[in-house]
Amino acid sequence: MQANCPQCGHTITIDDARVPDRPFGVKCPKCSSVVKLPGRSAEPAVAPAHVPEPAPLPARPAAPVGSGATAAMDELFHYMCHEGASDLHISAGSPPMLRHDGDIKIIAGRPVLDGAATEKLLLPIAPERNREEFARRHDTDFAYEIPGLARFRCNFFMDRKGMGGVFRQIPTKIISAEQMGLSKEIMALCDLPKGLVLVTGPTGSGKSTTLCALIDHINKNRTDHIITIEDPLEFVHENKKCLINQRQVGEHTNSFKDALRAALREDPDIVLVGEMRDLETVAIAIETAETGHLVFGTLHTSSAPSTVDRIIDQFPSDRQGQIRVMLAESLKGVISQVLCKKIGGGRVPVLEVLIGTPSVANLIREGKVFQIPSIMQTGKKYGMCLMNESFAELVKKKVVAPQEAYDRAVDKAGLLSTFKKNNIDTSWAPAEAGAPSVNAQA
């Protein structure tokens, strides 16, 4: 069969066998016009098979991959990731909400959920074990994954209005230490044969992301055995140069302390403890670091010096002397961090770094933790820095607004003093904030 293109006059030879696939016309190979076939009067109903479908609009969330009972939550998770939110909040008596750049925002167009609707939405994504735990305790934690999208750290709870859930996005792609801009002194902690390294900060400050970057760096550069103990599992590490075993409390072990005690019989080189919640876990972690292992852990403390105090103060007074000696020998680094809003959108971690030099070890051993900030001020050559110095650096680079840094700072008077030394405008600060600092970081 032959047909002439009405636009360019090109003669097109058409394979009769393909006519059923092109019932009304074909595309001219010369000018791309649609050439109607003889005897066909209707317009083409189907685009040519080789023409790709148009890409979805950038502003439109991806379609959910789930089906059945989990489809509604999967859709919310897709929307959450599309919007770049860190957390999704579902509560009875409220519409779904997102935390975006640190602020809680209602998802437009979503109805208020009553208690029954909230349970119907949330319960299908929980494993059976967690449903039973929630029915018994009215609280439960677990991880949920949508392949190709992200993992989510999930918490169910009950309040006066009914059931609720909070979901933290855990990207499937690990952010590297280089992408985070971690200093070479922090990265050197990954090369230690033994010792205790702590990452601290309030909830939602990015501790898990920093720990993940450190473990990933070890996985790429060392040939060791890594055991992680988490509740729940967050970032998933595949074996690169290291063998990695990831254990989840409640599913693979009963508690952090049980898993940590068992880890000593599992030939580890590096152990990550997701949370050092209780005295026994802290004690075993210090002992593990002393017995020739590199231990990473987290605490919810606001500064590096207060981290040392928190560890020691957990123990009875008759044991504190011994713990000071053990901690002085084993503590190799403390990274304290908070997240600040960036100018123009997004968030950035602000770090305080304590490196376990001999002078720091002596202060811990002698019970003079209050003098550690002074050592940190003069220890820049070792990679140490105070939180206020990091705030000032980001403000000078116009990454963070001065008011945002002030709001996040622990030692506000000290921060204003640092601003003034760096010729940063402080005219916006409240008058009482200029009072002498009592060194809140000690």
Side-chain angles (χ1 to χ4, degrees):
M1 182 186 297
Q2 289 188 335
N4 292 326
C5 175
Q7 298 294 326
C8 66
H10 182 72
T11 300
I12 305 169
T13 301
I14 302 160
D15 185 353
D16 289 345
R18 294 186 62 193
V19 170
D21 296 334
R22 302 285 187 271
F24 303 112
V26 294
K27 192 175 182 179
C28 175
K30 190 171 183 180
C31 68
S32 299
S33 299
V34 175
V35 181
K36 294 180 181 178
L37 297 181
R40 306 294 208 278
S41 58
E43 291 296 323
V46 181
H50 62 280
V51 177
E53 290 293 323
L57 294 174
R60 184 177 181 179
V65 298
S67 60
T70 66
M73 276 303 299
D74 287 349
E75 181 184 6
L76 285 170
F77 285 139
H78 274 84
Y79 184 79
M80 171 189 181
C81 294
H82 178 270
E83 293 296 308
S86 60
D87 299 87
L88 169 66
H89 291 254
I90 306 290
S91 296
S94 303
M97 301 183 185
L98 297 177
R99 183 179 293 278
H100 189 275
D101 291 347
D103 297 326
I104 294 287
K105 301 176 182 178
I106 293 174
I107 301 178
R110 297 282 178 168
V112 173
L113 299 168
D114 60 23
T118 303
E119 290 189 16
K120 184 178 179 181
L121 182 66
L122 296 180
L123 286 175
I125 70 168
E128 185 61 33
R129 179 184 67 82
N130 294 93
R131 293 185 208 177
E132 293 173 358
E133 183 180 44
F134 179 72
R136 186 175 69 254
R137 297 180 50 196
H138 290 171
D139 286 289
T140 189
D141 297 291
F142 60 96
Y144 182 74
E145 181 174 7
I146 298 179
L149 181 68
R151 285 173 62 83
F152 302 90
R153 187 180 71 197
C154 310
N155 172 267
F156 287 173
F157 62 89
M158 289 290 290
D159 69 2
R160 63 186 181 86
K161 294 182 180 179
M163 186 178 181
V166 180
F167 309 91
R168 169 68 51 83
Q169 181 187 165
I170 306 165
T172 51
K173 184 178 180 181
I174 294 173
I175 300 175
S176 69
E178 292 76 18
Q179 289 172 314
M180 289 189 65
L182 298 179
S183 67
K184 67 180 187 299
E185 290 83 7
I186 292 177
M187 300 314 303
L189 297 173
C190 298
D191 300 326
L192 295 171
K194 66 176 183 177
L196 178 64
V197 177
L198 299 174
V199 180
T200 76
T203 301
S205 61
K207 298 186 296 294
S208 297
T209 304
T210 300
L211 274 176
C212 173
L214 297 177
I215 293 298
D216 183 60
H217 179 80
I218 293 172
N219 194 17
K220 291 176 181 176
N221 294 282
R222 292 177 62 165
T223 52
D224 288 319
H225 181 204
I226 303 171
I227 297 176
T228 76
I229 307 163
E230 304 169 71
D231 184 20
L233 288 182
E234 297 188 12
F235 292 93
V236 175
H237 296 271
E238 300 296 339
N239 296 340
K240 293 177 182 175
K241 286 189 173 182
C242 291
L243 168 63
I244 301 185
N245 296 120
Q246 294 185 264
R247 307 187 69 192
Q248 178 170 312
V249 173
E251 185 170 341
H252 309 128
T253 182
N254 288 330
S255 65
F256 281 104
K257 61 185 179 183
D258 288 348
L260 193 51
R261 189 180 291 110
L264 294 175
R265 300 187 294 274
E266 293 160 5
D267 187 33
D269 299 288
I270 297 104
V271 180
L272 183 150
V273 186
E275 289 185 42
M276 294 166 62
R277 292 176 176 171
D278 54 73
L279 185 149
E280 190 171 357
T281 302
V282 172
I284 300 172
I286 295 173
E287 290 170 9
T288 303
E290 272 207 319
T291 54
H293 305 85
L294 181 57
V295 179
F296 291 88
T298 69
L299 284 172
H300 291 91
T301 48
S302 58
S303 70
S306 67
T307 299
V308 177
D309 279 332
R310 173 74 63 84
I311 292 174
I312 294 171
D313 290 345
Q314 285 194 69
F315 290 85
S317 56
D318 60 337
R319 291 188 62 190
Q320 289 183 1
Q322 176 192 8
I323 293 300
R324 281 195 189 94
V325 173
M326 294 174 66
L327 191 61
E329 294 297 323
S330 61
L331 186 64
K332 301 303 180 184
V334 180
I335 304 163
S336 294
Q337 63 184 67
V338 296
L339 286 181
C340 277
K341 295 178 185 177
K342 294 170 63 177
I343 296 172
R347 291 193 288 178
V348 62
V350 185
L351 305 182
E352 176 171 274
V353 182
L354 171 66
I355 302 297
T357 60
S359 56
V360 170
N362 286 335
L363 292 179
I364 295 173
R365 192 179 295 109
E366 295 169 6
K368 298 178 180 179
V369 175
F370 63 91
Q371 293 183 12
I372 288 180
S374 299
I375 297 291
M376 295 173 69
Q377 284 180 321
T378 58
K380 288 184 175 60
K381 63 181 178 181
Y382 302 111
M384 291 192 257
C385 66
L386 291 166
M387 188 74 76
N388 283 350
E389 295 170 344
S390 297
F391 277 127
E393 188 66 24
L394 289 172
V395 170
K396 283 167 59 179
K397 292 179 179 178
K398 299 191 182 303
V399 177
V400 174
Q403 294 88 336
E404 170 68 8
Y406 178 81
D407 289 341
R408 299 292 179 185
V410 175
D411 181 10
K412 298 184 186 300
L415 179 62
L416 291 180
S417 177
T418 303
F419 280 174
K420 290 172 182 176
K421 289 177 184 177
N422 287 273
N423 296 318
I424 298 171
D425 178 41
T426 59
S427 59
W428 46 267
E432 62 273 14
S437 170
V438 293
N439 205 350
Q441 298 193 45

